[in-house]
């Protein structure tokens, strides 16, 4: 059985992210995409527009001196334009390290990502790492 196109899209996004290919990653998003980051830290909030979202992703690398990486786990689809992905984040920042479970809820319209909602296993741990 072949993979649902929306799951395949999300997997391609993770692949592009892992390769640092922001141009390819951006091509899979609408111009008005929004990425919602939970918590109360300098990265939290609503990152609006393709460039705003890509700037967030670039900042993850900058803030961690290139150590930020994700290991993709299950990818689930509802067949109505929504995909849930689960991953583990690994990163070092200063004298701190983090290994934390996260999930993303994607909304997909016309084969492009329009909205990304993040969830974190431990918001307090994430806030402490990024603050």
């Amino acid at each position: 059985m072949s993979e649902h196109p929306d799951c395949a899209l999300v997997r391609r996004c993770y692949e592009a992210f892992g390769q640092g290919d922001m141009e390819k990653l951006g091509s899979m998003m609408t111009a008005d995409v929004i990425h919602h980051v939970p918590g109360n830290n300098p990265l939290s909030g609503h990152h609006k527009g393709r460039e705003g979202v890509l700037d967030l992703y670039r900042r993850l690398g900058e803030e961690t001196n290139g150590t930020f990486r994700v290991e993709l786990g299950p990818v689930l689809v509802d067949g109505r334009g929504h995909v849930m992905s689960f991953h583990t984040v690994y990163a070092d920042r200063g004298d701190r390290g983090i290994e934390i479970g996260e999930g993303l809820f994607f909304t997909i319209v016309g084969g492009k990502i329009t909205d990304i909602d993040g969830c974190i296993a431990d918001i307090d741990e994430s806030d402490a790492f990024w603050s």
Side-chain angles (χ1 to χ4, degrees), residues 34-48 53 56 116-118 127:
I34 301 175
H35 187 140
H36 311 274
V37 178
N40 186 21
N41 65 70
L43 299 178
S44 299
H46 309 286
H47 301 269
K48 298 179 180 181
V53 171
L56 166 66
I116 308 165
D117 278 298
D127 284 345

Side-chain angles (χ1 to χ4, degrees), residues 92-103:
D92 295 307
R93 188 165 184 259
D95 62 349
R96 297 190 73 128
I98 195 166
E99 177 180 333
I100 193 166
E102 296 185 350

Side-chain angles (χ1 to χ4, degrees), residues 58-106:
R58 288 182 190 102
R59 190 165 172 202
L60 295 172
E62 291 168 1
E63 294 284 333
T64 62
N65 288 324
T67 65
F68 188 94
R69 69 180 178 88
V70 296
E71 184 177 294
L72 182 60
V75 178
L76 312 176
V77 65
D78 72 355
R80 297 179 292 117
H82 302 110
V83 173
M84 292 173 49
S85 66
F86 299 89
H87 61 259
T88 303
V89 166
Y90 302 91
D92 295 307
R93 188 165 184 259
D95 62 349
R96 297 190 73 128
I98 195 166
E99 177 180 333
I100 193 166
E102 296 185 350
L104 296 175
F105 182 81
F106 295 87

